[in-house]
Structures are given as C-alpha cells and as structure tokens.
Amino acid sequence: MRTVVVTDPPRAAQEDADALARFGVATVHEAQGRTGYLGPEYRPAWPGARVAGTAVTVLCWPGDNLMVHVAVEQCRPGDILVVATNSPSSDGLFGELFATSLASRGVRGAVLSCGVRDVADLREMGFPVWSTAVSAQGSVKATAGAVNVPVVLGGQLVHPGDVVVADDDGAVVVERRRAAEVVGLSQAREDKEAATRSAFVGGAVGLDVYGMRQRLPDFGIQYVPYATYAAEQGGSGA
C-alpha cells in the first residue's frame, strides 16, 4: 500500500448528487443496470436518512483509524466519507466525535466497511452513517494508510469523487463520469414506475402491466379448475 493523501480530486457535480439522493438507492441501482450496490450488509446506524454526496475515500488498517483523522481536512461540503479497511474488520472506527468534526465541514454522512459506535449520539445529532457492524470496540492510531485512492466496499470499486447514495435500503455508488447520465436514467425509471403505480391503483395486475401473462405457458404454468386438480390428486384436493 502506498501511504499517500491525494488532494483535490475531481468530484461529480453537486446538483447531480442532490438529484440522485431524491431518487434513492433502489431506483438508482436499477437505473444504472443493477450495478454499484454495496450489498445488504451495509446498514444505517439509524433509520430514515436519505443522502447522496461525493466520495472522499479512506483506506485504513483493521482497528486503526489514523487515516480517518487525516481524511477529515480533505472533506468539503457535500462530501460523504467512505472508509475501507485492507482486511476484514468489525471494529468501531467511527463515532460521534468524528461525526461532529465532519458535520462542521458540511459532510453529509459516512459509509464504512467496518464498525460504527455511539449510535444513539449519531441518531440524536442526525448524522447518517452506514456500516457493516455496530461495535463499541475502539481503535488505535498507529499505521498509515491512504486517502482519496480507489477503495473496494462490498465488491464495488469506489473512486474519490464518485457519488454515493444511501438510505434505508443500503448504499450504491455511481461513477463520477456517469452521474449526470444516471440522473436521467433514474428519472425515466421513476416516470415509468409512476405509470405502473397508476395502473395498479386502477385495478390492473402485474401479469398484464409487465406483459408476463403471455409468457406463462413458456414457464410450463397451467391454469387448472379446482375440480380437475382435486380429481388428479385422488379426490383429496391437497
């Protein structure tokens, strides 16, 4: 690992991040071809938050949050801190004091491939964090890592300046260069879902709205009257 702090990397446009936050994780994930989702293990420390921001990435050693301290001064308003460790760790590398420092700089939240602690305090102050664990286990500040280099969380590559969208469904990453495109794709998907919702309110069913009914024979699905089915089962109706 090269122990480096990359300063002032290019970031996605803030207006694109803001738009992606409004759509949410599920819509963005589907809109960009079901890619970028960090996986179900990334859960919010407290429910109800929906944010998106540009990634400031951090690579730490397990149980060591030295580089999170280093990363704080690289953060700008509208950023999201994204922390990975170079091998699996559930230690609580992030808590209320970090959140206080980041909030004062306009950072919108944090996503970590390790643990978070001080959950009640984070909820009270309204600072959203997503992590793979909640753990009171503390950390040391002893080993150098890197800031604003590509990192991997949940099998997804995150570059500094990419957009990270997070809500109750988890977190998804959008490549910086695709952010504006994915905004358009997400709007198109939301418009389509609005039309589908209207059809459902009117009494339509998914088999017809999604054009699945004519495909059912291809799956070998048969519609059989109850009397016929019961007779085939020897009269038991089971």
Side-chain angles (χ1 to χ4, degrees):
M1 178 197 304
R2 183 181 178 189
T3 54
V4 62
V5 177
V6 180
T7 61
D8 198 26
R11 289 164 164 84
Q14 198 64 68
E15 58 266 28
D16 292 333
D18 293 342
L20 291 168
R22 292 193 296 271
F23 293 120
V25 170
T27 295
V28 170
H29 171 243
E30 294 282 354
Q32 64 176 357
R34 298 182 180 177
T35 62
Y37 180 50
L38 302 191
E41 63 271 24
Y42 284 82
R43 303 304 306 146
W46 51 272
R50 174 181 286 192
V51 299
T54 44
V56 171
T57 60
V58 189
L59 185 58
C60 294
W61 287 76
D64 193 314
N65 65 3
L66 170 65
M67 298 310 293
V68 180
H69 286 278
V70 174
V72 168
E73 67 177 355
Q74 300 303 317
C75 293
R76 296 179 182 176
D79 283 339
I80 287 183
L81 190 73
V82 178
V83 180
T85 55
N86 61 2
S87 62
S89 174
S90 61
D91 296 336
L93 300 192
F94 187 98
E96 176 266 333
L97 290 178
F98 270 136
T100 299
S101 180
L102 291 171
S104 73
R105 304 180 72 86
V107 174
R108 294 179 171 180
V111 178
L112 305 98
S113 67
C114 52
V116 64
R117 61 184 189 173
D118 303 332
V119 169
D121 295 320
L122 294 173
R123 180 175 59 248
E124 183 176 353
M125 66 186 294
F127 190 86
V129 178
W130 287 257
S131 69
T132 57
V134 173
S135 175
Q137 178 64 46
S139 58
V140 299
K141 301 158 183 60
T143 311
V147 174
N148 278 333
V149 299
V151 296
V152 175
L153 288 83
Q156 303 298 322
L157 185 63
V158 184
H159 290 88
D162 286 348
V163 178
V164 176
V165 186
D167 59 22
D168 283 340
D169 290 336
V172 64
V173 59
V174 177
E175 294 179 17
R176 174 177 62 86
R177 291 183 175 86
R178 292 196 65 201
E181 173 196 359
V182 176
V183 169
L185 293 171
S186 297
Q187 184 63 62
R189 180 169 182 84
E190 192 168 84
D191 293 344
K192 181 179 179 181
E193 288 186 348
T196 299
R197 188 176 300 108
S198 178
F200 286 160
V201 169
V205 296
L207 286 176
D208 298 313
V209 172
Y210 297 126
M212 295 185 291
R213 189 178 299 280
Q214 60 269 33
R215 297 174 53 206
L216 296 183
D218 297 335
F219 293 107
I221 296 173
Q222 300 177 327
Y223 285 79
V224 181
Y226 175 78
T228 302
Y229 179 73
E232 292 172 349
Q233 302 302 310
S236 67

